[in-house]
């Protein structure tokens, strides 16, 4: 039987250069057809992802080897866009398609094409997202400075049991009010900046800090005020200034697709007088909201009436958020280095364009990161193709595809599938985007990694079930901790920036909201785990190569994952053994005697013990 036609978009013999390309850059495509296969013509067909005219390029024979003939064509994408492509082969009687099959292999027939991303030539990774580590903080739960809280509304409950669980039970009306606050504040974060620097942190991502009447603060009440429990504008400026002295940027959560019903803009409860869109049809904010039947029938976020949706295409709203004297400008002037955009899929292009332009006008090294849960390079949201990563809307995104694939691999194995997920993102994302990816293992929206890896599966179980299993057994914690450490070794080496959810490094566990939002256990940390994460962080700080470093897979088997990052004179090998037997690593030349910069478990002379990992650093 003759060998199958050969094309692999990740092989430079088939496509060069690898991955996404700058606008105006030539890409060469080569298909390798078996000698015994009759081919009278070969064509490359490219389709714009969001519609438009197809491009068909003839492929001429340009050589080959004793098994294959090579057919080649060159393509130049003049403007930023996403393309899908496949090949057509004529044999004189019929036409066959050569398409992308499982694992990126080429197959005859089929329907799925490969992707080519063409991005703006001047796109770059902003300084806020270069090298280092992102540390995500849920402000109410990280550190309470002990300073008195002033001007706190009477309907909030101030907790004094820092080690207690957030309230999760419904009240007598069946509502979860989220109105219990533990008192974490901006001054508390400032007090812990040296600790964060020891972890290698170069960027803090803060969950919402604007005035709001729930502890999660995703129901914004006033975009231009700090929530009183957190402190003042002066406290925020002091935090950002002290952070910058330590080489740490501060990025804020931008919740712009909806406001709180209890806000100065909507004012359903009347907390803010008689103004607001709910109480006054002539309000300056009335055009911001989508009323079906004023005042009680309005569009809200996922049906939560406490979160009325905003009309983000309304010019006055865009001006309010992204204008010269708008919300974004205010916080950038006070020291913020950009925004993470909540539910970015729900923000229309016109809004994203305006906000990105405003953030970049303040400084090209500010960052805009989007909350996108899938591959953001070709995402279709609400019926149309998005353009997040082509150079004018976002610098990068939260990398949930890596998170999900990595946690699944560490718990269950399946190295080939894990590698395919990683390579898919590496291939589809522009390099400046790839370098700034927010690579998390836990977030405020997901269970903590130790629980995900060591506990029972949450599946669709509710809060009662989650509460009963909040505290892991000693055996569950040890397994979760071991697997989490191995996942972290991989996380800290993958393309992008590792993002550490506050307290994960201290051994915090917990299922979903609100159990993943307990207070940082100051004084009760898993100290060995903290030391381990400090070692990982110092690898990133001491070897500032990761923004531009090559990614070279070595082994992605059921038990062993290893790869090398190369940049300048430095090479770093990341390797873990998730299995229960001893494993000999495949070490690239020179790593036999390389320094172990971090270890978990036992490593000796190329051998990893069960549930162990190592990071080796070699200088050329």
């Amino acid at each position: 039987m003759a060998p199958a036609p050969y094309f692999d978009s990740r092989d430079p013999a088939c496509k060069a250069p690898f991955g996404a390309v700058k606008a105006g850059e030539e890409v060469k495509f080569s298909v390798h057809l078996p000698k015994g296969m009759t081919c009278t013509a070969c064509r490359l067909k490219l389709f714009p992802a969001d519609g438009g005219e197809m491009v068909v390029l003839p492929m001429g024979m340009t050589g080959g080897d004793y098994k294959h003939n090579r057919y080649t064509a060159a393509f130049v994408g003049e403007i930023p866009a996403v393309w899908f492509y496949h090949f057509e082969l004529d044999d004189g009687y019929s036409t066959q398609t050569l398409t992308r099959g499982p694992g990126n292999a080429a197959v005859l027939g089929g329907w799925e094409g490969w992707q080519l991303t063409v991005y703006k030539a001047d796109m770059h990774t902003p300084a806020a997202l270069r090298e280092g580590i992102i540390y995500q903080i849920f402000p109410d739960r990280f550190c309470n400075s002990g300073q008195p809280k002033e001007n706190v509304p009477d309907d909030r409950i101030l907790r004094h049991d820092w080690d207690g669980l957030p309230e999760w039970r419904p009240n007598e009306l069946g509502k979860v009010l989220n109105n219990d606050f533990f008192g974490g504040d901006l001054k508390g974060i400032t007090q812990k900046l040296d600790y964060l620097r020891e972890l290698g942190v170069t960027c803090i991502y803060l969950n919402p800090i604007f005035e709001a009447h729930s502890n999660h603060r995703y129901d914004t009440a006033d975009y231009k005020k700090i929530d009183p429990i957190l402190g003042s504008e002066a406290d925020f400026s002091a935090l950002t200034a002290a952070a910058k002295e330590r080489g740490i940027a501060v990025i804020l959560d931008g919740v712009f697709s909806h406001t709180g019903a209890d806000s100065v803009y909507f004012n359903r409860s009347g907390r803010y007088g008689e103004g607001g869109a709910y109480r006054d049809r002539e309000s300056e904010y009335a055009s911001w909201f989508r009323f079906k039947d004023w005042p009680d029938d309005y569009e809200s976020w996922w049906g939560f009436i406490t979160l009325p949706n905003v009309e983000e295409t309304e010019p006055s709203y865009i001006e309010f958020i992204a204008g010269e004297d708008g919300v974004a400008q205010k916080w950038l002037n006070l020291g913020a280095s950009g925004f993470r955009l909540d539910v970015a899929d729900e923000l229309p292009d016109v809004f994203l364009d305006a906000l990105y332009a405003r953030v970049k006008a303040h400084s090209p090294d500010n960052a805009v990161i989007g909350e996108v849960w899938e591959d953001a390079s070709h995402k279709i949201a609400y019926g149309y193709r998005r353009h997040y990563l082509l150079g004018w809307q976002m610098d990068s995104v939260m990398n949930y595809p890596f998170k999900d694939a990595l946690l699944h691999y560490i718990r269950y194995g399946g190295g080939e599938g894990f590698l395919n997920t990683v390579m898919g993102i590496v291939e589809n994302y522009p390099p400046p985007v790839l370098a700034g990816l927010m690579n998390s293992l836990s977030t405020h929206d997901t269970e903590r990694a130790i629980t995900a890896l060591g506990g029972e599966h949450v599946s669709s179980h509710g809060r009662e079930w989650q509460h009963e299993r909040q505290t892991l057994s000693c055996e569950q914690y040890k397994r979760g901790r071991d697997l989490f450490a191995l996942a972290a070794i991989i996380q800290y080496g993958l393309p992008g920036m590792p993002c550490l959810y506050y307290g994960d490094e201290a051994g915090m566990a917990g299922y979903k909201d609100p159990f993943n939002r307990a207070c940082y256990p100051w004084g009760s940390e898993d100290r060995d785990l903290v030391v381990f994460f400090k070692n990982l962080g110092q690898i990133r700080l001491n070897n500032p190569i990761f923004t531009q470093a090559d990614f070279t897979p070595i082994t992605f088997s059921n038990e062993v994952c290893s790869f090398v990052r190369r940049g300048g004179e430095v090479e770093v090998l990341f390797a873990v053994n998730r299995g229960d037997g001893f494993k000999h690593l495949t070490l690239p030349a020179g790593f036999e005697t390389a320094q172990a910069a971090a270890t978990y478990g036992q490593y000796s002379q190329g051998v990893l013990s069960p549930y162990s990992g190592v990071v080796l650093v070699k200088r050329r």
Side-chain angles (χ1 to χ4, degrees):
M1 181 180 293
Y6 178 66
F7 178 82
D8 183 346
S9 62
R10 299 164 190 171
D11 184 338
C14 297
K15 176 180 173 292
F18 167 79
V21 297
K22 297 177 181 179
E25 184 176 6
E26 183 181 81
V27 187
K28 287 188 177 180
F29 299 88
S30 296
V31 175
H32 302 258
L33 303 182
K35 291 281 190 181
M37 182 178 184
T38 301
C39 181
T40 58
C42 183
R43 293 176 295 280
L44 167 65
K45 302 184 76 171
L46 300 107
F47 305 83
D50 53 359
E53 188 173 348
M54 173 180 62
V55 173
V56 181
L57 298 175
M59 304 182 75
M61 187 184 296
T62 56
D65 55 31
Y66 72 98
K67 286 185 177 181
H68 293 89
N69 294 321
R70 182 177 67 242
Y71 294 79
T72 300
F75 172 74
V76 177
E78 299 291 353
I79 61 174
V82 172
W83 297 81
F84 295 112
Y85 63 92
H86 66 254
F87 306 92
E88 282 188 348
L89 313 176
D90 294 341
D91 63 6
Y93 300 97
S94 62
T95 298
Q96 298 188 77
T97 57
L98 187 65
T99 61
R100 181 175 180 264
N104 204 54
V107 296
L108 287 172
W111 57 272
E112 185 176 358
W114 291 270
Q115 178 175 325
L116 173 66
T117 304
V118 180
Y119 62 96
K120 280 186 69 177
D122 62 353
M123 196 175 185
H124 75 286
T125 307
L129 301 180
R130 290 184 205 142
E131 312 301 347
I133 294 160
I134 302 172
Y135 194 85
Q136 180 186 349
I137 293 177
F138 195 80
D140 186 58
R141 313 289 161 78
F142 180 61
C143 182
N144 186 337
S145 69
Q147 297 296 310
K149 313 304 179 188
E150 300 178 351
N151 303 314
V152 179
D154 295 337
D155 56 349
R156 301 190 189 187
I157 299 171
L158 296 181
R159 300 276 296 267
H160 301 288
D161 54 335
W162 186 256
D163 59 350
L165 273 182
E167 185 54 62
W168 59 275
R169 296 176 179 87
N171 65 10
E172 63 278 3
L173 299 177
K175 297 180 179 179
V176 178
L177 298 180
N178 295 309
N179 65 340
D180 61 323
F181 293 77
F182 287 84
D185 52 23
L186 298 176
K187 286 184 177 178
I189 298 171
T190 304
Q191 291 172 0
K192 299 299 183 181
L193 286 175
D194 288 337
Y195 165 73
L196 297 181
R197 189 59 181 177
E198 290 175 1
L199 288 171
V201 172
T202 53
C203 180
I204 296 171
Y205 154 45
L206 291 178
N207 287 117
I209 64 170
F210 304 142
E211 180 174 299
H213 302 294
S214 67
N215 49 42
H216 55 70
R217 299 190 176 95
Y218 281 92
D219 53 341
T220 310
D222 193 331
Y223 287 109
K224 292 194 173 184
K225 289 184 179 178
I226 298 284
D227 191 83
I229 290 180
L230 291 176
S232 64
E233 286 186 14
D235 295 333
F236 178 73
S237 293
L239 167 61
T240 58
K244 286 180 180 178
E245 289 176 1
R246 293 163 174 81
I248 301 174
V250 177
I251 291 177
L252 300 180
D253 217 328
V255 187
F256 300 133
S257 75
H258 55 269
T259 71
D262 191 4
S263 68
V264 68
Y265 316 108
F266 200 77
N267 198 26
R268 181 177 177 127
S269 66
R271 186 190 298 267
Y272 295 94
E274 291 305 315
Y278 181 86
R279 310 181 79 81
D280 179 5
R281 273 185 158 173
E282 304 303 318
S283 166
E284 61 182 307
Y285 308 120
S287 62
W288 293 9
F289 300 94
R290 304 166 187 165
F291 288 98
K292 301 173 186 176
D293 186 9
W294 182 87
D296 290 312
D297 190 1
Y298 52 87
E299 288 188 23
S300 56
W301 188 76
W302 288 65
F304 293 98
I305 63 170
T306 56
L307 302 174
N309 273 337
V310 169
E311 181 54 75
E312 303 97 336
T313 59
E314 165 61 35
S316 64
Y317 181 71
I318 295 175
E319 182 66 19
F320 176 75
I321 299 295
E324 187 174 349
D325 298 314
V327 169
Q329 189 68 44
K330 173 185 174 72
W331 298 107
L332 293 169
N333 289 343
L334 288 171
S337 293
F339 294 89
R340 173 265 191 189
L341 301 182
D342 185 57
V343 290
D345 293 339
E346 300 182 21
L347 299 173
D349 287 342
V350 64
F351 182 89
L352 290 174
D353 294 349
L355 181 63
Y356 186 84
R358 175 56 52 195
V359 171
K360 293 300 181 179
H362 183 269
S363 171
D365 278 324
N366 289 334
V368 177
I369 303 174
E371 180 195 12
V372 182
W373 288 62
E374 304 84 8
D375 184 326
S377 67
H378 57 238
K379 178 73 184 284
I380 295 177
Y382 296 90
Y384 72 102
R385 186 83 61 180
R386 307 308 302 264
H387 307 103
Y388 298 140
L389 306 182
L390 298 182
W392 60 85
Q393 288 190 344
M394 299 178 191
D395 293 296
S396 203
V397 290
M398 300 179 74
N399 195 1
Y400 280 102
F402 272 13
K403 169 191 168 295
D404 295 341
L406 176 50
L407 292 180
H408 185 275
Y409 169 70
I410 288 295
R411 185 156 185 169
Y412 299 110
E416 184 177 342
F418 174 45
L419 177 60
N420 196 48
T421 296
V422 171
M423 292 306 299
I425 295 296
V426 172
E427 182 175 14
N428 291 347
Y429 284 23
V433 171
L434 193 66
L437 284 175
M438 186 185 287
N439 290 342
S440 302
L441 294 178
S442 310
T443 74
H444 63 293
D445 285 324
T446 65
E447 58 265 56
R448 286 190 178 264
I450 286 178
T451 296
L453 293 168
E456 297 179 55
H457 279 297
V458 64
S459 187
S460 59
H461 292 296
R463 288 181 171 181
E464 185 77 43
W465 183 95
Q466 295 177 47
H467 176 256
E468 291 173 356
R469 293 158 179 78
Q470 170 69 10
T471 301
L472 300 178
S473 69
C474 291
E475 181 180 352
Q476 287 176 321
Y477 178 77
K478 183 181 185 308
R479 177 167 175 78
R481 179 192 194 268
D482 288 347
L483 295 181
F484 173 49
L486 301 187
I489 287 175
I490 298 173
Q491 173 200 24
Y492 272 59
L494 288 174
M497 289 184 74
C499 181
L500 193 56
Y501 185 42
Y502 80 99
D504 271 4
E505 79 280 9
M508 289 183 69
Y511 283 101
K512 295 182 179 180
D513 164 27
F515 306 110
N516 56 2
R517 302 175 182 181
C519 297
Y520 187 104
W522 298 109
S524 301
E525 304 95 325
D526 184 327
R527 296 188 182 279
D528 290 340
L529 199 57
V530 171
V531 170
F532 169 72
F533 273 94
K534 286 182 178 180
N535 288 340
L536 284 182
Q538 291 306 311
I539 292 170
R540 302 278 303 201
L541 282 185
N542 295 335
N543 300 282
I545 64 167
F546 291 94
T547 295
Q548 302 294 334
D550 294 336
F551 172 74
T552 304
I554 304 297
T555 302
F556 278 74
S557 70
N558 200 50
E559 293 83 18
V560 175
C561 173
S562 65
F563 54 88
V564 172
R565 302 295 305 278
R566 293 185 176 92
E569 299 299 311
V570 179
E571 298 184 27
V572 186
L573 173 73
F574 296 82
V576 305
N577 172 17
R578 58 164 300 278
D580 56 7
F582 289 82
K583 294 295 179 182
H584 289 265
L585 297 179
T586 299
L587 296 177
F591 276 103
E592 300 86 354
T593 57
Q595 171 191 359
T599 57
Y600 188 86
Q602 299 296 321
Y603 170 79
S604 177
Q605 297 181 323
V607 178
L608 276 175
S609 300
Y611 305 111
S612 295
V614 67
V615 182
L616 302 176
V617 178
K618 178 173 78 74
R619 302 188 185 278
R620 295 185 234 180

